[in-house]
Amino acid sequence: MADSAAKRETDSDEPDDLSLKVKRPKFDNENGRGVGAKDSEPKNILSGFSVSKVLSDSAREKNIFVHGKLADQEAVIILEKTPIREDTLAELLSGSTLKLELKNDIYSTYRLQAPSHLNEIKTTVVCPATEKHVKKYQRQESSLVEETGEDYRSITLPYIQKQSFSMQWVFNILEKKAEADRIVYEDPDPKVGFVLLPDFKWDQKQVDDLYLIAIVHPRDIKSLRDLTSEHLPLLQNIFQKGKEAILQRYNLPASKLRVYLHYQPSYYHLHIHFTKLGYDAPGCGVERAHLLADVIQNIQSDSQYYKTRTLYFPLRADDGLLSKFKEAGRL
Ligand code: M7G
């Protein structure tokens, strides 16, 4: 089993020290479909982006999701301000320019202009984006759906077989055609193996918002609904080795991790989310996240647990699956 990437990068015992050694992310090539990664882009491909609509934004999370066109293709871009890192504080304070805004008694506010390398915006580009991508990022009301095992077979399964997102990016990772240099750990076994790597939501600059995903090697498991006791060795392997690899690489013990599956996921190829406990990761709420530890126990007590149980999950107002539940009189 390959665990070449899962080795300690420093001998320090301090998680924060280790986080500073985490490798920098790299972007894929310009049209977003490429499989290579480069340290720097030769030109700013976003200078030609024309905005059609802001899909959502958040002053608190300091991000914005924008739909538009990039070289005549539909695109979604996500811009997000990144956390201020303790290890850059000294440089930030000494290397910036400071403009006074107001002074009143003991209080003063300033605008601090940081050196450009400390003032980056994490940018994600989806291009060409499908209508489904645009909907995924559009801020919308959600409704909680109640899905019995029978609903899954008669409503959800036929829908996801026709409508789900392309899984090309997943296959590129499994086949080392993309993001190969980002792999933290791999067990190549075709039955119980998986690839563990940083989720593209994580910029890897600090462990505070650590977010990795484990993508399974078997290609026939769509989601939680497919899991039975046959998959226990796979799930236990991911749980055990994923936690070990994260301890080795990021010095973060299992007790600081939230390890879970989404139901419904966006991508119907089984994958497990590893996020840092305390980080309010998108989609970690009880209406969508199922702890891997619970999943394993539930299957141990009943192999058919996830085939038969009623599962609850939120669907956005314009999700086609919600219409199917309405048409079937289930909402
Ligand atoms: P999900 O539960 O299917 O859907 O998780 P969600 O996106 O609604 O949470 C898929 C996970 O894969 C998410 O956490 C995504 O951020 C992540 N992800 C998606 N894509 C397209 C990529 C990618 O190309 N590379 C990496 N590393 N992660 C991705």
Side-chain angles (χ1 to χ4, degrees):
M1 295 194 183
D3 80 340
S4 54
K7 63 178 161 33
R8 218 177 178 124
E9 296 201 340
T10 161
D11 289 323
S12 164
D13 282 324
E14 291 299 312
D16 287 341
D17 288 344
L18 275 160
S19 72
L20 310 180
K21 308 254 177 183
V22 171
K23 277 191 273 170
R24 294 294 144 112
K26 292 173 180 177
F27 292 103
D28 279 356
N29 71 10
E30 58 265 17
N31 65 10
R33 306 189 90 178
V35 292
K38 294 174 189 167
D39 276 325
S40 61
E41 289 291 339
K43 73 180 182 67
N44 172 10
I45 55 148
L46 293 182
S47 60
F49 184 82
S50 69
V51 175
S52 322
K53 191 177 175 196
V54 171
L55 299 171
S56 66
D57 59 352
S58 161
R60 195 172 70 87
E61 286 165 25
K62 299 185 180 55
N63 61 21
I64 187 163
F65 295 72
V66 191
H67 176 208
K69 285 214 158 152
L70 198 54
D72 284 337
Q73 289 187 304
E74 297 297 326
V76 171
I77 60 171
I78 304 165
L79 304 175
E80 185 182 356
K81 294 222 178 180
T82 50
I84 297 167
R85 286 155 46 201
E86 194 181 335
D87 64 308
T88 61
L89 262 186
E91 196 187 352
L92 190 66
L93 298 178
S94 64
S96 301
T97 57
L98 202 61
K99 292 188 182 155
L100 181 69
E101 264 185 342
L102 74 84
K103 184 157 179 53
N104 183 349
D105 187 37
I106 60 170
Y107 306 100
S108 42
T109 66
Y110 296 87
R111 273 181 297 138
L112 181 148
Q113 280 164 350
S116 58
H117 66 283
L118 296 181
N119 198 16
E120 289 174 2
I121 293 183
K122 180 175 189 298
T123 304
T124 307
V125 178
V126 184
C127 182
T130 63
E131 210 187 316
K132 227 173 136 57
H133 286 107
V134 176
K135 285 183 181 170
K136 176 176 161 82
Y137 295 119
Q138 171 94 57
R139 179 179 295 125
Q140 275 179 46
E141 286 276 306
S142 293
S143 302
L144 196 73
V145 172
E146 200 178 315
E147 181 200 68
T148 63
E150 184 43 39
D151 291 334
Y152 173 72
R153 286 178 286 280
S154 63
I155 305 172
T156 309
L157 183 59
Y159 179 80
I160 61 179
Q161 278 167 338
K162 274 198 252 143
Q163 300 284 334
S164 47
F165 282 117
S166 160
M167 251 117 52
Q168 192 55 49
W169 70 273
V170 171
F171 303 139
N172 286 344
I173 289 172
L174 294 175
E175 293 164 16
K176 317 288 155 31
K177 291 179 179 165
E179 305 190 46
D181 55 340
R182 289 159 46 92
I183 293 175
V184 170
Y185 178 88
E186 176 173 18
D187 175 343
D189 187 277
K191 275 200 133 72
V192 300
F194 65 99
V195 170
L196 179 73
L197 81 170
D199 190 285
F200 77 173
K201 288 202 273 278
W202 184 36
D203 71 3
Q204 302 179 71
K205 289 185 176 163
Q206 56 283 309
V207 282
D208 275 356
D209 56 351
L210 175 137
Y211 199 144
L212 291 107
I213 41 171
I215 301 176
V216 303
H217 271 303
R219 297 198 178 191
D220 57 347
I221 314 168
K222 286 183 284 307
S223 74
L224 194 59
R225 276 284 187 208
D226 284 341
L227 296 173
T228 64
S229 56
E230 176 201 341
H231 304 108
L232 281 172
L234 170 70
L235 299 176
Q236 283 160 334
N237 192 41
I238 296 174
F239 203 22
Q240 192 53 38
K241 296 206 180 117
K243 289 188 293 192
E244 279 168 21
I246 290 175
L247 176 65
Q248 288 205 332
R249 172 66 77 96
Y250 305 105
N251 202 21
L252 204 60
S255 59
K256 303 285 182 211
L257 291 177
R258 185 196 290 117
V259 186
Y260 56 98
L261 291 82
H262 277 157
Y263 193 75
Q264 300 284 335
S266 296
Y267 305 95
Y268 290 88
H269 173 108
L270 194 77
H271 55 276
I272 317 283
H273 303 251
F274 288 74
T275 61
K276 178 157 185 256
L277 199 68
Y279 164 52
D280 193 11
C284 74
V286 291
E287 73 278 31
R288 193 156 179 235
H290 297 252
L291 284 180
L292 180 58
D294 284 337
V295 171
I296 290 174
Q297 284 196 70
N298 290 336
I299 298 173
Q300 278 170 337
S301 50
D302 175 6
S303 171
Q304 299 299 303
Y305 188 94
Y306 289 103
K307 300 239 179 232
T308 55
R309 287 290 293 212
T310 295
L311 296 176
Y312 301 81
F313 49 84
L315 287 177
R316 289 155 191 264
D318 71 354
D319 193 315
L321 185 56
L322 188 72
S323 316
K324 296 283 174 202
F325 270 82
K326 284 183 178 159
E327 281 166 26
R330 296 288 295 120
L331 205 79

